[in-house]
Amino acid sequence: MQHSFFNWLFPSYCVQCQGVISAQEGLCDYCLTDLGVFDLNKHSNLLHRPDIVEMFPHCEFDKLLACAFYQPPFEHWLKRLKFNNQIHYKKALQQVIKRQLSVFFENLTTQPDIAIILPLHRGRFLTRGFNQVSQVWQPCLAKHICISNALIRNKATQAQSQLSRSKRIKNVKNAFVCTQDMSGKTVVIVDDVMTTGATLNAATRVLKQAGAKQVWAFATCLTPL
């Protein structure tokens, strides 16, 4: 009853169709169902999907999960959240992520041990004031897997978005340090947008050097060719 009164007094609107929705949501059911997301029932590991393998042929991690390609409306939502801190888009992204995670974990035969949300360098975190990947993903992952802070970003890298593939690889070389023994563990690493895979590969190498048996990459979006 209290939630109904609150929703009536302060209505929330779907970020797609502007229809009235619950305050806990960002998308109405119709718009959520209508989004063009990856079919994880068909390819629970997107590294087995032929077009994605062709786009990202140099992945060093063992599994890949993502929600959709980095194009509208996801591109708009992520940019507004990342650069303008427009947090109403966070609820929409979380609805999509939770749905994708549910399908992914239903299809698993073995569970990962821990998840690590890729950290920002301290300087960038202080400048921006928040880690948008952590804000979006941590509440979604918490019921599935333990969250760890075992990676530190010890190198202040340039923003990857304006760099070529070769410069991206050089930019993130030695960017991460692992602070825990990962021997025998299956570790999930999480980022928002995967463009070439250079950042996720750099984190994967550090974790495997620390003993990780497998590294799985989760991303909100993949940048298409």
Side-chain angles (χ1 to χ4, degrees):
M1 184 68 180
Q2 187 176 4
H3 284 301
S4 299
F5 178 73
F6 183 85
N7 289 335
W8 173 80
L9 193 60
F10 303 104
S12 297
Y13 301 95
C14 174
V15 298
Q16 283 290 86
C17 71
Q18 302 306 309
V20 177
I21 55 174
S22 164
Q24 288 74 42
E25 298 172 337
L27 289 161
C28 67
D29 289 341
Y30 176 81
C31 289
L32 178 61
T33 303
D34 198 45
L35 287 172
V37 299
F38 296 130
D39 184 355
L40 299 181
N41 281 310
K42 189 172 183 181
H43 295 101
S44 60
N45 181 359
L46 292 173
L47 294 180
H48 295 159
R49 186 171 138 161
D51 61 331
I52 290 177
V53 173
E54 188 175 348
M55 290 177 198
F56 306 101
H58 305 295
C59 295
E60 298 180 32
F61 37 88
D62 303 281
K63 283 183 187 287
L64 173 64
L65 171 146
C67 295
F69 282 124
Y70 186 55
Q71 54 195 18
F74 293 95
E75 181 179 7
H76 174 79
W77 299 348
L78 284 166
K79 283 181 177 177
R80 293 297 182 273
L81 178 63
K82 184 173 183 177
F83 298 114
N84 303 102
N85 197 22
Q86 294 185 10
I87 60 173
H88 48 282
Y89 292 112
K90 179 175 73 172
K91 294 178 183 177
L93 289 166
Q94 286 176 333
Q95 279 180 269
V96 180
I97 289 168
K98 285 176 182 176
R99 179 171 284 200
Q100 292 294 83
L101 285 175
S102 177
V103 175
F104 178 80
F105 280 100
E106 277 178 13
N107 290 324
L108 278 188
T109 54
T110 58
Q111 296 288 319
D113 296 293
I114 58 171
I116 299 172
I117 295 169
L118 293 191
L120 297 175
H121 183 266
R122 184 172 179 273
R124 186 165 294 170
F125 181 81
L126 290 174
T127 300
R128 189 178 296 166
F130 64 98
N131 181 341
Q132 79 284 350
V133 186
S134 181
Q135 278 191 354
V136 172
W137 277 87
Q138 188 157 339
C140 301
L141 280 172
K143 75 172 188 176
H144 294 285
I145 185 174
C146 177
I147 308 291
S148 170
N149 296 314
L151 274 186
I152 294 173
R153 198 161 193 150
N154 68 330
K155 178 181 173 183
T157 55
Q158 292 178 254
Q160 292 278 80
S161 56
Q162 303 302 318
L163 301 180
S164 66
R165 174 179 170 77
S166 60
K167 287 182 178 179
R168 284 169 184 261
I169 294 171
K170 184 177 180 181
N171 189 41
V172 295
K173 186 178 181 181
N174 301 321
F176 297 102
V177 172
C178 182
T179 61
Q180 294 179 20
D181 180 9
M182 294 293 168
S183 295
K185 286 183 167 55
T186 296
V187 184
V188 171
I189 50 177
V190 187
D191 206 356
D192 55 356
V193 180
M194 173 173 152
T195 301
T196 64
T199 303
L200 290 165
N201 279 343
T204 296
R205 283 192 290 273
V206 168
L207 290 166
K208 290 195 172 181
Q209 287 165 6
K213 178 177 65 176
Q214 285 201 336
V215 177
W216 302 354
F218 288 5
T220 310
C221 290
L222 309 179
T223 303
L225 290 175

